[in-house]
Amino acid sequence: RLLTSKRAPREEPVEPFLTLLSFCRYYFPCQRWLAVEEDDGQIARELVPVDEAFVKKDSENDGQSPATLGLEQKAKSTTYSVKVKTGDKKNAGTDANVFIILYGNKDDTGIVSLKASKINKNKFERGKVDEFTVESVDIGDLKKIKIGHDNKGNSTGWFLEWVEIDAPSLGQCLKFPCGRWLDKSEDDGATERIIFPAELQTVEYIPFVPYEITVYTSDIFGAGTDADVFIVLYGSDGICTQQKSLCLNKREQRMYFERNSVNQFIVELEDVGDIIEKIRIGHNGGGLNSGWHLDRVTIRRLLPNGK
């Protein structure tokens, strides 16, 4: 027999769900371009939260400039260099919009459009190699990729030879061989493929670390430069980094290194150790105003433990 009680249920006070969240505020600064012809060419970015101190006004933040917001984001990201080889076959090139997803053992990058090739104006042409920059939060060790296109345009079919991904923070350069069509009228008709790395073609090296490089241009007439500024770091025992340009493109060269300016960069370079014995900094002498009067440079090695 089912017994029921006439006693009214006890009502517990319930706080609205939104009230519980009202004290949690997350800051996702960007301060970077989302444009094909600017910065690294990406039109979508992953943003990670930063401490509230980074979004305070200069007077409340010990002189921190708002320009450091995007750098704080970049310091928490990993940069991948992605090279894509289009096959040397008839009609191998494509006019479609190509995308890629990188999968790691922790996470994935989500869909990344490959729009701005660093090598060729007309990308994905027959027999050509295109290079792209992909930034993401840490996804862990690379396990596979998905690459494909939207099948839009006059010539959509594409023969993909291989993809090579250099991950400096992991100290790995991985080759993803394909050698197949991504074409609705060729092969199996697929326009996207999942590809795994060829273990025997993986190159390993000492992982890179991010450095925060702050450059101070002097306050004298004609001190600024439009040239391509580069830097090399030297550690103990003869260890040094590659020569690295601080600007990504000519627009940044015109915008940075002005008279009496302070410009800050996050650059992934070979780890030269705890002690930087010297640096080499210079430029290529290009641009309308190449002469440069440099005041000083400060460098901070960024590591997960905060050193």
Side-chain angles (χ1 to χ4, degrees):
R1 187 174 62 173
L2 180 63
L3 299 177
T4 58
S5 174
K6 296 182 180 181
R7 184 178 178 181
R10 181 181 177 184
E11 294 186 0
E12 296 288 347
V14 178
E15 293 290 336
F17 180 66
L18 291 178
T19 302
L20 298 177
L21 296 180
S22 62
F23 298 102
C24 299
R25 183 171 297 172
Y26 296 87
Y27 298 90
F28 295 88
C30 184
Q31 297 292 330
R32 297 182 64 187
W33 285 96
L34 284 77
V36 173
E37 298 180 354
E38 303 288 355
D39 203 329
D40 58 3
Q42 292 300 322
I43 58 174
R45 299 196 180 280
E46 288 187 343
L47 302 180
V48 294
V50 302
D51 189 86
E52 183 179 1
F54 281 93
V55 296
K56 290 182 179 179
K57 295 181 180 179
D58 290 2
S59 60
E60 301 173 353
N61 199 28
D62 299 328
Q64 284 280 3
S65 168
T68 62
L69 295 174
L71 294 170
E72 175 71 4
Q73 288 276 4
K74 193 169 183 179
K76 295 182 178 181
S77 300
T78 299
T79 301
Y80 302 91
S81 175
V82 178
K83 292 183 178 179
V84 180
K85 171 69 183 294
T86 298
D88 191 9
K89 292 177 176 287
K90 184 179 179 180
N91 299 322
T94 184
D95 295 328
N97 297 304
V98 175
F99 69 87
I100 193 170
I101 305 173
L102 278 57
Y103 295 89
N105 62 343
K106 296 180 181 177
D107 202 351
D108 64 74
T109 61
I111 296 175
V112 178
S113 298
L114 300 181
K115 289 186 173 293
S117 174
K118 298 171 68 175
I119 301 176
N120 304 305
K121 184 176 181 181
N122 295 322
K123 54 190 180 296
F124 309 122
E125 294 293 310
R126 174 179 174 176
K128 300 291 185 180
V129 176
D130 293 287
E131 184 176 354
F132 305 87
T133 298
V134 174
E135 278 187 16
S136 172
V137 295
D138 182 19
I139 63 173
D141 295 332
L142 280 173
K143 296 299 183 182
K144 63 181 180 181
I145 64 172
K146 178 187 285 187
I147 188 166
H149 61 77
D150 62 0
N151 202 45
K152 294 181 179 179
N154 295 324
S155 301
T156 59
W158 185 34
F159 190 89
L160 173 61
E161 195 71 54
W162 49 256
V163 178
E164 182 181 273
I165 299 180
D166 190 6
S169 65
L170 300 176
Q172 286 187 331
C173 185
L174 301 97
K175 198 71 161 284
F176 295 80
C178 181
R180 297 183 67 180
W181 286 97
L182 284 76
D183 188 339
K184 284 195 171 182
S185 59
E186 296 283 354
D187 204 332
D188 60 358
T191 58
E192 60 182 46
R193 298 196 182 280
I194 293 177
I195 314 174
F196 295 88
E199 292 185 8
L200 295 179
Q201 297 184 58
T202 298
V203 177
E204 296 192 357
Y205 54 91
I206 298 175
F208 284 21
V209 299
Y211 290 89
E212 177 190 86
I213 301 174
T214 308
V215 180
Y216 299 80
T217 299
S218 303
D219 187 15
I220 64 173
F221 180 76
T225 184
D226 294 330
D228 183 15
V229 174
F230 64 81
I231 194 168
V232 182
L233 311 185
Y234 295 83
S236 59
D237 301 324
I239 299 175
C240 69
T241 69
Q242 62 181 297
Q243 181 173 301
K244 181 73 173 182
S245 294
L246 294 179
C247 294
L248 294 172
N249 50 49
K250 290 184 178 179
R251 179 189 174 279
E252 289 191 358
Q253 293 174 25
R254 295 191 298 268
M255 184 173 66
Y256 296 145
F257 311 117
E258 295 294 307
R259 173 182 174 177
N260 195 32
S261 65
V262 180
N263 301 118
Q264 201 169 61
F265 307 88
I266 302 295
V267 182
E268 285 183 317
L269 292 168
E270 295 92 338
D271 190 356
V272 299
D274 295 330
I275 299 176
I276 301 176
E277 293 194 343
K278 65 177 181 180
I279 68 171
R280 182 170 181 263
I281 188 167
H283 60 76
N284 66 348
L288 296 176
N289 301 293
S290 60
W292 185 34
H293 196 285
L294 172 63
D295 185 73
R296 66 188 188 275
V297 178
T298 63
I299 299 178
R300 187 164 63 104
R301 182 167 170 252
L302 304 177
L303 294 175
N305 58 10
K307 290 185 179 180

